[in-house]
Amino acid sequence: MNRMSRAVLALLSVNIVVFAAGLLVPGWHERIIAAGACWFPDNANFGAWQAVTYMFLHADLGHIFFNMFALVSFGTILEREWGATRFLIFYFLCGVGAALIQLGVNWHEAGLLHARLVAAGLTPAAISDLMATGRGSLPADSAVKAVLVDLYRIHIAPMVGASGAIYGLLVAFGCLHPNAKLSLMFVPMPVAAKFFIPGMLLLDLFSGVTGFSIFGAGVAHFAHLGGAAIGFLLMLIWRQHDPAVRQAQAI
């Protein structure tokens, strides 16, 4: 069995230590989430550094397990082909890009919801107060109340997880090894990466647009797509300007 590469091992170790600290040390989970998760910009907890730190936080055991499994599976191969420096640059650019794209989508959606609430008669001051405190006089109209709840969820639900960076790794792996066979729990047989990875991205796009997700609620689908998009752009740039990448992609 091949040994895990150094950068992947370091990322894995930090993720596990942070998760264990939040799980085992009383009060730390809330503090870590408040400081390190990627919050909506209007939330009082928001900080620019969170576009990086959110990648080291995970919601539960299943979340960290699948992300770290993918990190080890694909990251080890990519680090050995690229070296630790290029691998880490790629990983963090995909992760930060994923956060910024998801925040952009949330900001756009929040703007639309805010406009609907104002059109329904709520004042901007009243909306801001409800977002900040979670308390106040709610509208009687159930449709308006539902819009208010959707806006509140955007404000209070932070983003955590390495999935954006992981999706970038998946795309890079697919570019370098398009015929490698991959499988997923609900897929009965292995599928070539050149079909498997686009299929996953289409599923995320469908879930992000419709709101229906086989992976459950609260998944940042546009962060997945954002990390994949950044990864694909980086692969295109490197392929054009770096002979080593062109040679690797021809294998």
Side-chain angles (χ1 to χ4, degrees):
M1 183 176 178
N2 293 330
R3 293 178 59 188
M4 197 181 306
S5 53
R6 289 185 301 169
V8 168
L9 179 59
L11 290 171
L12 177 67
S13 300
V14 174
N15 275 278
I16 291 174
V17 167
V18 172
F19 183 79
L23 193 66
L24 300 175
V25 182
W28 274 35
H29 177 73
E30 293 76 11
R31 295 177 186 176
I32 291 171
I33 293 296
C38 191
W39 294 86
F40 188 70
D42 276 354
N43 191 291
N45 290 320
F46 174 77
W49 63 87
Q50 293 165 357
V52 174
T53 56
Y54 87 102
M55 288 184 269
F56 297 98
L57 280 63
H58 289 85
D60 52 42
L61 188 59
H63 191 203
I64 189 173
F65 173 79
F66 286 110
N67 275 346
M68 295 303 100
F69 180 80
L71 170 64
V72 173
S73 300
F74 300 104
T76 299
I77 296 171
L78 293 173
E79 184 184 347
R80 287 198 176 125
E81 294 179 350
W82 290 343
T85 300
R86 171 169 280 184
F87 170 76
L88 288 172
I89 290 172
F90 184 91
Y91 183 86
F92 282 106
L93 285 177
C94 289
V96 171
L100 296 178
I101 289 171
Q102 182 66 53
L103 286 176
V105 170
N106 287 347
W107 187 270
H108 175 70
E109 184 179 355
L112 295 177
L113 294 172
H114 190 277
R116 289 174 63 184
L117 292 172
V118 171
L122 276 72
T123 66
I127 297 170
S128 296
D129 186 59
L130 284 166
M131 295 302 106
T133 65
R135 297 186 299 272
S137 179
L138 297 177
D141 189 304
S142 59
V144 177
K145 189 183 297 184
V147 173
L148 189 60
V149 169
D150 287 341
L151 181 59
Y152 186 64
R153 284 174 179 162
I154 292 175
H155 276 255
I156 66 165
M159 179 169 53
V160 297
S163 299
I166 297 299
Y167 266 69
L169 299 183
L170 281 172
V171 167
F173 180 85
C175 290
L176 294 170
H177 306 283
N179 295 314
K181 296 297 174 56
L182 304 176
S183 60
L184 202 60
M185 287 185 297
F186 52 80
V187 179
M189 59 185 299
V191 179
K194 61 186 175 184
F195 302 122
F196 183 91
I197 295 169
M200 287 189 63
L201 296 177
L202 287 173
L203 184 60
D204 263 302
L205 180 61
F206 172 80
S207 298
V209 171
T210 65
F212 175 79
S213 175
I214 64 172
F215 301 108
V219 177
H221 294 287
F222 288 105
H224 295 174
L225 294 169
I230 298 299
F232 184 69
L233 288 174
L234 286 172
M235 293 303 291
L236 285 179
I237 293 169
W238 289 354
R239 187 174 188 176
Q240 292 175 358
H241 299 287
D242 193 328
V245 174
R246 288 201 298 272
Q247 183 179 3
Q249 290 179 313
I251 292 174

